[in-house]
Amino acid sequence: MNKRDFLKGAILFFPAGGLLALARDGARAAAPGPAREAEKAAAPEAPKPSGKRYNPADHYYGMGIEVEKCIGCSRCVEACKAENDVPAEPYFFRTWIERYTVRADGEVAVQSPNQRTRHVETTDDRDVIRTFFVPKLCNHCAQPPCVQVCPVGATFSTEDGVVLVDGERCIGCRYCIQACPYGARYLDPRTRTAGKCTFCYHRVVRGLKPACVEVCPTEARVFGDLRSKASRLVRFRRMNKLNVLKPALNTEPKVYYAQLDGEVR
Amino acid sequence: MRMPEQVQRLAIVIGVIAAVVLVGRFVLMPPTLVARELHRSSTEQREAAKPVKFAGSSACQDCHDNVVEKKAKGYHKGLACEGCHGPAVKHTEDPSAVTPAAPRDRKFCPVCHAYDAARPTGFPQINPTAHNPLTPCIGCHDAHDPVPPRTPKACAACHAQIERTKAISTHALLACTTCHTVPEAHKKSPRTVRPSKPQTREFCGTCHAKDAGAKEAAAKGTTATDAAAKRAKTARQAPRVDLSTHGETFQCWQCHYPHLPEGRS
């Protein structure tokens, strides 16, 4: 084959591929509806309990955490892993509990208890000024640094105030994991894409509470809609003096802490 | 003017490349990958379509109304069924095929109830190795309505942290009731019936003032209570301070934690 023949062949071959694809799309369009509708129908549709269609513009979600109610039982951590299919090992978490121990000499120790290490700790009570648990999770910031750094636009804030990751776009570069000041992201070892708390988006659109809120025995977590006047979160925000984590970074977190100790980072 | 042949060939190659790129961009790439809005909404749909595993607090009502009613009256009313029984959506869909596990093991309840200094004061805690060992918890406590079989005698059952702190302090030998008057009902409804707390500097002065003991002794036989008599006895070993100058007008417990008063170190 000489050069001329090759180029002629190529000229015929490549556009032909395009035409074939066009024909494929045409056939798809001729079927029930446009291609997008067909794809949507393929995914199981979320049941709408109220019968009304879920409209993201009506909602804006956040969470309240009452630090003094947390008993550190890790029910939320386990429920989150079960609900969201988070790998059990290595220790990746979408939500987790931290134990703060403030000692007389000003030293602050932070441990994250998991099922295995929870009760092994032995400390000299006399040095300990105070000790308490703090639940942590993605803050679903209104100004999320993780979204800013994503080179392919795979992570974004939804209209209803949740920061999501598009697993099909994510290239696993870990920029967002580095950028998150709260350590709320991890690289899922199975998909090699970034994983994080979604406020249990699939539950919330069905009118259910996130799994961690559902199982909390002491109501240390309050989930709600900042756009609704009657939501528990709005009442929580009115009744408590609130703090967010690392306010100096201007990330505008939407996870609000009541009775937060100054040592908590 | 005639174009040189090599330019024509180059033009063809460039044309082919351009065609391939255009076809790839507009025909082969699905719209969800190109349009930002579409790729976001497809991510939202994918998230929303994920399966729910925790059925939520109202899902058990229909079939287990007896358990739900019993639990609603007891101390465990704030607990989610699935916090103990695990995710149960599959069970609600087909109750006979899948039954959730019931945590009958002694290891389970201490997840919440084992003593831990970081847990909030007043949360009922026990020492799992010392609290009625070898018998399963549910042998004495009904998991759905866990009233203690009888009201606890010791304050330590609920105030373990204070008890442990006091035990290593110079006040170790003082009974809680030396300083707190505790109505019996406090042990049954601790949040509604509150014990008294010392209110004045003079109270601590009954043991620590320069003339302590003398006053108590003088009062003996007239209006003295048992507690006052006991106080007079212990007051003899108590270090003395000048109440009129020591600590100015602050309450003593603004500087000394009454359950761990440090004065000499």
Side-chain angles (χ1 to χ4, degrees):
Chain A
M1 189 193 273
N2 65 19
K3 216 190 284 174
R4 178 174 303 257
D5 283 349
F6 170 75
L7 285 178
K8 269 190 193 154
I11 288 168
L12 284 178
F13 176 75
F14 285 109
L19 285 178
L20 275 179
L22 268 181
R24 183 201 64 189
D25 271 18
R28 225 201 258 172
R36 197 156 87 75
E37 283 302 311
E39 266 156 32
K40 222 199 283 176
E45 190 61 34
K48 305 288 179 313
S50 56
K52 261 193 294 172
R53 259 200 100 72
Y54 177 82
N55 182 4
D58 296 344
H59 307 276
Y60 198 63
Y61 295 114
M63 192 182 283
I65 292 180
E66 212 166 330
V67 177
E68 279 185 4
K69 285 191 178 169
C70 177
I71 61 169
C73 64
S74 299
R75 299 292 86 206
C76 48
V77 180
E78 280 174 27
C80 174
K81 286 211 170 199
E83 180 73 31
N84 294 300
D85 201 16
V86 179
E89 306 240 352
Y91 292 121
F92 291 137
F93 300 98
R94 294 186 174 196
T95 184
W96 65 100
I97 309 282
E98 285 175 2
R99 177 211 300 275
Y100 276 75
T101 310
V102 185
R103 288 176 201 288
D105 55 11
E107 189 196 310
V108 181
V110 185
Q111 300 159 288
S112 193
N114 59 40
Q115 293 86 288
R116 260 185 256 162
T117 60
R118 186 162 32 227
H119 296 300
V120 297
E121 165 235 37
T122 44
T123 46
D124 186 351
D125 268 3
R126 269 169 298 192
D127 303 342
V128 176
I129 297 187
R130 52 188 192 278
T131 165
F132 50 89
F133 292 112
V134 184
K136 294 253 181 106
L137 69 162
C138 168
N139 284 279
H140 294 278
C141 308
Q143 306 291 340
C146 53
V147 169
Q148 282 167 25
V149 301
C150 181
V152 294
T155 185
F156 61 97
S157 304
T158 64
E159 214 175 350
D160 35 8
V162 179
V163 178
L164 292 181
V165 180
D166 182 348
E168 288 181 0
R169 279 214 147 197
C170 178
I171 55 171
C173 70
R174 302 171 201 239
Y175 276 10
C176 56
I177 300 173
Q178 292 285 317
C180 176
Y182 307 104
R185 288 171 168 254
Y186 59 89
L187 198 78
D188 191 311
R190 296 164 306 190
T191 59
R192 313 288 305 159
T193 56
K196 70 180 288 296
C197 162
T198 62
F199 268 163
C200 283
Y201 200 69
H202 57 299
R203 299 177 62 84
V204 169
V205 296
R206 290 167 164 94
L208 295 166
K209 290 185 266 183
C212 57
V213 180
E214 180 68 47
V215 299
C216 179
T218 56
E219 298 191 332
R221 292 173 186 251
V222 175
F223 181 78
D225 186 346
L226 295 164
R227 290 237 162 98
S228 137
K229 288 213 168 57
S231 88
R232 293 205 45 201
L233 183 62
V234 172
R235 200 182 336 136
F236 177 84
R237 299 227 300 154
R238 201 167 51 229
M239 307 291 273
N240 290 291
K241 297 188 182 102
L242 299 179
N243 261 315
V244 293
L245 298 177
K246 307 191 181 174
L249 299 178
N250 291 326
T251 53
E252 296 173 32
K254 291 202 301 304
V255 174
Y256 308 98
Y257 287 84
Q259 301 124 12
L260 191 70
D261 193 277
E263 298 291 355
V264 178
R265 291 284 106 86
Chain B
M1 197 193 94
R2 228 185 89 83
M3 237 190 273
E5 186 147 330
Q6 55 275 48
V7 175
Q8 279 180 19
R9 287 192 193 148
L10 204 61
I12 289 171
V13 171
I14 291 173
V16 165
I17 291 173
V20 167
V21 168
L22 288 177
V23 164
R25 168 68 180 72
F26 289 107
V27 183
L28 295 179
M29 271 168 90
T32 51
L33 210 69
V34 184
R36 213 169 169 209
E37 286 317 310
L38 281 185
H39 102 72
R40 289 187 173 182
S41 69
S42 80
T43 308
E44 279 164 32
Q45 276 159 18
R46 218 177 315 121
E47 280 295 336
K50 283 186 177 165
V52 164
K53 288 169 191 156
F54 284 83
S57 46
S58 50
C60 320
Q61 175 80 39
D62 292 345
C63 309
H64 296 293
D65 52 343
N66 52 341
V67 179
V68 173
E69 265 165 44
K70 192 206 268 178
K71 190 175 78 67
K73 289 199 212 98
Y75 279 92
H76 275 172
K77 61 174 177 295
L79 272 65
C81 310
E82 290 164 300
C84 291
H85 289 293
V89 155
K90 291 229 173 68
H91 170 66
T92 58
E93 280 159 3
D94 187 354
S96 47
V98 192
T99 42
R104 294 185 169 87
D105 196 79
R106 224 184 119 85
K107 281 203 208 73
F108 178 71
C109 313
V111 162
C112 290
H113 287 294
Y115 171 73
D116 191 320
R119 292 198 157 139
T121 317
F123 184 80
Q125 295 163 60
I126 48 120
N127 176 349
T129 39
H131 182 81
N132 306 306
L134 301 178
T135 326
C137 312
I138 52 174
C140 297
H141 304 279
D142 183 334
H144 301 137
D145 182 14
V147 261
R150 58 189 156 77
T151 44
K153 280 204 191 61
C155 315
C158 308
H159 297 292
Q161 186 178 3
I162 293 177
E163 171 76 20
R164 290 221 325 204
T165 310
K166 191 174 76 67
I168 55 163
S169 82
T170 42
H171 275 170
L173 294 178
L174 306 190
C176 307
T177 44
T178 327
C179 304
H180 300 287
T181 313
V182 186
E184 199 46 42
H186 172 66
K187 297 177 185 171
K188 289 207 188 75
S189 349
R191 282 175 212 282
T192 41
V193 183
R194 299 272 176 152
S196 73
K197 290 189 285 190
Q199 298 296 330
T200 60
R201 288 164 56 83
E202 282 66 39
F203 175 82
C204 307
T206 54
C207 293
H208 289 292
K210 287 264 181 279
D211 58 347
K215 221 186 344 175
E216 297 280 338
K220 209 173 172 190
T222 51
T223 55
T225 57
D226 279 356
K230 255 194 234 140
R231 250 182 261 151
K233 227 168 109 210
T234 29
R236 271 175 233 137
Q237 303 115 47
R240 304 305 164 94
V241 291
D242 186 350
L243 223 55
S244 56
T245 56
H246 181 83
E248 297 165 42
T249 52
F250 297 105
Q251 294 291 15
C252 312
W253 42 92
Q254 284 174 283
C255 297
H256 303 284
Y257 183 50
H259 309 132
L260 183 61
E262 285 153 317
R264 270 169 232 162
S265 57

